[in-house]
Each structure stands twice: as structure tokens, then as C-alpha cells.
Amino acid sequence: MDKKDIAGIRRQLKLDNDLLKISDIFNVYIMKETTDIYHHQSQPFEMLDRDQQELFMNNFKKLLTGQLDEKLFELKFKRDAENHSQLTLHKGLLSNEVEDWKEQMLQMTEKMIKDHPYEKDVVITFIRAEYMKPMKRRNEEAEESERDAVYSNPFILCSINQTQEPKKEIKFDYVEKEFKYKIEVDPVIDLKNPMTGFLFPCITDGASDVNHVLYAAGKANEPDYRFIEDVLNGEEFITAKEDKAVFEEVIKDVVGDQLNPSTLATVYGEINRTIEENEEDAAPKLDYKDVERVLNQSGEQVDSEKVKTAFQRVTDDETYELKASSIVPKYKSKSIKINTKIAKIAISPQDLQYVRQVNYKGKRCIMIEVEEDAEIDGFKMLPEAFGE
């Protein structure tokens, strides 16, 4: 799945929508510090109050929000695994009876809590739904509307949410005209901050892919590897943060740890151009030959064998490929950090060409070329002569 596919599903998570229908919701309550199912309940989603439906919809949107390879990860299932989750989820997806669906989801729940007690009470929520994507854009002149031809994709979505302790409050009773201590004993499910979850199967351009599952981490660059390997039976993967670290180590190995800002700006620009030229490829990759080309085009004359050796040293694999999007995921909006003891400066990659480190009065300084007066808290800075 690419970001467009995920955004397409996320946009349809709203009430009264004929392009995404949720049939059943199944909630499982797990007590903290135990590995036992305390309670579970299944019901048609439409039987929930509208306010409840809205709360769950917002939770699912939150779950599917984030950057690929940072918070959302498309995982390929392992070939061999005991009690394989791919088979369990596929059975649940195809089951016509609610009891069969519940049985499969309880098996998934058992895998989640096996030898892994949670620190707080948690609620594991499963939904069965159908996502319908129009096959073509609306054409006012055509006899057939976009709703007449759609891709139909049934899916299962799972969200794990922790509970919060009820608040202790003082309230004022208007009738009795007195202050009272408000005591609540029921825990509150935190539907604003899902801990983790997944979507099965992956849906790419209207086609279901049962060999992949979309995993959602609670926080960016903090995937739960136990959940990925033991619960979902997903293969190993590299996060965008780890990929970026590999790229930086390779560059340092080849050209050293000192690089002219304008050269670095050109490097990022060349990689961004690679992404733009391969828009049809959801994840264009760079091997050691591509990195050599980017460096040479940026003014750094490097040897192919040296880059190949750097890949081997850093990754133990000379055929390793870097995801271009991991290096410059948001070229125009991404900030590059310039760190000094005095301050931290954030600047766009394409603007690095206007940054210099210079010697001024015997001291090293950061110089940034600007086209207009700079401002500090709304005040324009007075220009100073360089020699003063």
C-alpha cells in the first residue's frame, strides 16, 4: 500500500457512507497484568449509538494516520509460522457466520496476550468492513456513474487501546445546592491514542493483497517487534529512521564526515528527482551504483568500488537498497537540522545551498544568505557590515 491507498481508506471512515460499510464490531477486554480474556462482546456496528460510532471512527482514522515506514508498515507474512496469523485472518475475512468470525479474532487475541501482560487494562477492537473504491473518476458525459463500477474489498481492522483510571472530581449539585465528591468506578477507554493495530489485507489500487498486512505502531519509529513477529508473523523490515542512518553512514564512509552544505543540498535534490521520476513506483530504491551517481552529480568524485565497500561495511550486504523516500520523505517541507552549541537551526533541504560556515573575526560562524530582512519576534534585524 502507498500513502494514497491508505489515505483513500482513511477518508472513507465516516458515518452514512456507502463507500465503506462496517458490518460487525468485536471488543475484547483484557485486565492488566494478566493474560486472560475478562470479557468480550460482538454486535453489528449499526447497533451502536451514533456518538459511539463516531468515537470508534475517529479512533480508526488515528490508527491509520502517519508516514509509511515511520508509523505505518506494510509487512509481508513469513512463509512458515506456527498457528499462522495469515490463515487465521483469512478465515475470519471469509467467514459468513458471526460466531466463526469471533472464534478467529479470539485466536488472534490469544496470540496478543500470550506471555505478554499489559501494564494497564486494554481493549482490543476488531471490525469487519467493506471498502468500495470507484473504478474511474466521475464523467458527467458518460452514461455510467462512478458508483456503478467499484472495486469491492472486505477487510479486518484491529485497534488496541488502553484504559484510563476514572477521574476524581468535585461537582456542584444545583438542586441540593451543595458540593459533592464525584466518584466514578468505570475505566474509560482511550480512543484518542490507539497503542497499535493492523489492517488486513493490504489494499493497493483497489486490489486486495492477502500476503501483506498493514501494521500501525503507536509512535513513529517505535514499532513493536514482538507484536510484528509473534502476533502478525511478519517478516523483518527496516524503518525509515534506520534506512536514513545507513545512508548517512555510507556517505561518511565514502566522503568523510565533512560536507559542503551546497553539495548536500544537491545530493538531496538528486534523490528527490529520482522519486519524482519514478512516481509510478511506490518505493523507488537506491543501490550503491545510484548513490555513486548521486554523489558524482553533486560534485563529489567517488569510486564505484569504494561505495560498494561502504555498503558492505555498513549493512553486511553490498546489494542493500535504500528507500529514497526514507532519505527525503518530504523534500519541500522536511527540515534539515543544523546543530550548534548556541542554537539549532531548521532549514529545508533545497535551501542548504544558501548556508555557509565561515570564519569571522577568528570565530566560526553560520552564514545564511537571505533575500529580505530577517525578523526576530516580529522585529526586523538591522543589517550590519561584514567587516564591523
Side-chain angles (χ1 to χ4, degrees):
M1 298 183 72
D2 61 21
K3 59 183 180 181
K4 291 181 181 179
D5 294 313
I6 298 169
I9 295 176
R10 190 172 60 241
R11 282 196 301 270
Q12 301 305 331
L13 285 166
K14 53 189 176 184
L15 301 183
D16 304 320
N17 179 17
D18 60 351
L19 289 179
L20 194 148
K21 294 289 187 182
I22 301 176
S23 55
D24 299 290
I25 184 167
F26 184 37
N27 290 306
V28 186
Y29 198 97
I30 310 296
M31 297 287 285
K32 65 179 180 181
E33 299 177 352
T34 70
T35 53
D36 297 321
I37 295 174
Y38 180 73
H39 176 69
H40 60 78
Q41 178 180 318
S42 174
Q43 63 187 120
F45 189 75
E46 63 182 12
M47 296 300 291
L48 297 178
D49 294 336
R50 285 186 65 86
D51 289 344
Q52 290 181 321
Q53 292 178 357
E54 192 72 45
L55 286 171
F56 278 110
M57 284 290 195
N58 290 334
N59 173 69
F60 301 146
K61 287 180 184 177
K62 183 78 173 180
L63 183 73
L64 297 178
T65 298
Q67 294 295 318
L68 278 168
D69 299 320
E70 292 182 7
K71 188 174 178 293
L72 301 173
F73 303 87
E74 183 178 86
L75 307 177
K76 184 177 182 179
F77 286 111
K78 294 178 180 177
R79 287 181 176 272
D80 300 309
E82 185 178 349
N83 188 23
H84 210 302
S85 291
Q86 181 183 18
L87 180 59
T88 302
L89 290 169
H90 201 210
K91 285 182 178 179
L93 191 70
L94 298 177
S95 60
N96 294 320
E97 301 296 329
V98 173
E99 289 303 316
D100 293 338
W101 133 265
K102 286 170 55 179
E103 181 183 347
Q104 304 304 322
M105 295 309 100
L106 285 173
Q107 286 187 32
M108 290 299 302
T109 301
E110 292 288 354
K111 294 185 72 171
M112 294 179 201
I113 62 179
K114 182 181 179 182
D115 302 324
H116 185 74
Y118 289 93
E119 294 180 357
K120 293 185 177 182
D121 290 8
V122 299
V123 174
I124 303 172
T125 301
F126 299 94
I127 60 169
R128 284 201 299 180
E130 184 178 17
Y131 167 55
M132 284 156 284
K133 181 181 179 181
M135 288 186 179
K136 59 183 178 180
R137 296 178 181 274
R138 183 180 296 278
N139 185 345
E140 300 297 338
E141 298 179 359
E143 296 181 2
E144 184 179 58
S145 74
E146 65 175 353
R147 298 298 176 88
D148 292 331
V150 297
Y151 295 104
S152 176
N153 300 102
F155 68 87
I156 293 170
L157 189 146
C158 170
S159 174
I160 303 179
N161 299 73
Q162 66 182 16
T163 62
Q164 299 173 332
E165 294 294 329
K167 295 181 179 180
K168 298 177 181 180
E169 301 173 321
I170 301 294
K171 69 176 183 178
F172 179 71
D173 189 325
Y174 277 99
V175 178
E176 299 295 333
K177 293 184 179 180
E178 62 178 341
F179 295 96
K180 294 182 178 179
Y181 177 50
K182 183 181 178 181
I183 303 175
E184 294 284 353
V185 296
D186 297 328
V188 177
I189 304 172
D190 182 7
L191 290 176
K192 294 182 178 180
N193 301 289
M195 298 168 60
T196 189
F198 62 86
L199 171 79
F200 173 84
C202 282
I203 302 171
T204 303
D205 197 23
S208 296
D209 179 4
V210 296
N211 293 314
H212 289 82
V213 59
L214 184 70
Y215 162 72
K219 295 181 180 179
N221 293 306
E222 295 184 16
D224 183 344
Y225 291 101
R226 180 205 70 89
F227 192 92
I228 290 166
E229 295 175 13
D230 298 341
V231 178
L232 295 178
N233 303 137
E235 291 186 349
E236 294 182 359
F237 64 93
I238 301 295
T239 67
K241 186 177 181 180
E242 292 168 336
D243 231 10
K244 179 69 181 296
V246 168
F247 172 76
E248 291 174 355
E249 285 300 312
V250 167
I251 298 300
K252 288 178 182 178
D253 197 291
V254 175
V255 301
D257 59 2
Q258 293 184 337
L259 202 61
N260 190 296
S262 61
T263 301
L264 188 58
T266 308
V267 168
Y268 285 128
E270 287 295 326
I271 295 174
N272 183 66
R273 189 165 62 84
T274 299
I275 295 174
E276 291 178 343
E277 290 177 351
N278 295 272
E279 287 186 0
E280 295 182 0
D281 185 350
K285 295 182 178 181
L286 307 172
D287 59 15
Y288 76 89
K289 292 181 181 179
D290 294 315
V291 173
E292 177 203 356
R293 173 182 55 79
V294 166
L295 287 173
N296 284 329
Q297 291 176 340
S298 303
E300 295 287 335
Q301 298 304 313
V302 298
D303 179 73
S304 177
E305 199 61 35
K306 190 173 183 180
V307 182
K308 183 177 180 181
T309 302
F311 266 74
Q312 175 67 39
R313 188 190 69 79
V314 176
T315 68
D316 292 327
D317 181 8
E318 62 185 35
T319 63
Y320 185 90
E321 293 182 316
L322 298 156
K323 277 190 178 180
S325 59
S326 297
I327 301 169
V328 282
K330 294 181 180 178
Y331 183 68
K332 293 184 179 179
S333 61
K334 179 180 173 59
S335 293
I336 301 296
K337 301 295 189 297
I338 301 174
N339 296 319
T340 71
K341 289 184 178 180
I342 303 299
K344 293 183 178 181
I345 305 168
I347 194 166
S348 298
Q350 66 268 32
D351 293 330
L352 279 173
Q353 58 184 311
Y354 303 115
V355 179
R356 298 287 186 277
Q357 179 172 283
V358 299
N359 287 318
Y360 174 58
K361 291 185 177 181
K363 296 181 179 180
R364 281 177 293 183
C365 301
I366 297 293
M367 182 176 73
I368 303 176
E369 180 185 335
V370 295
E371 296 181 352
E372 54 191 19
D373 291 336
E375 290 189 3
I376 301 177
D377 281 346
F379 295 93
K380 289 186 178 181
M381 295 180 65
L382 288 172
E384 299 179 41
F386 193 80
E388 293 180 0

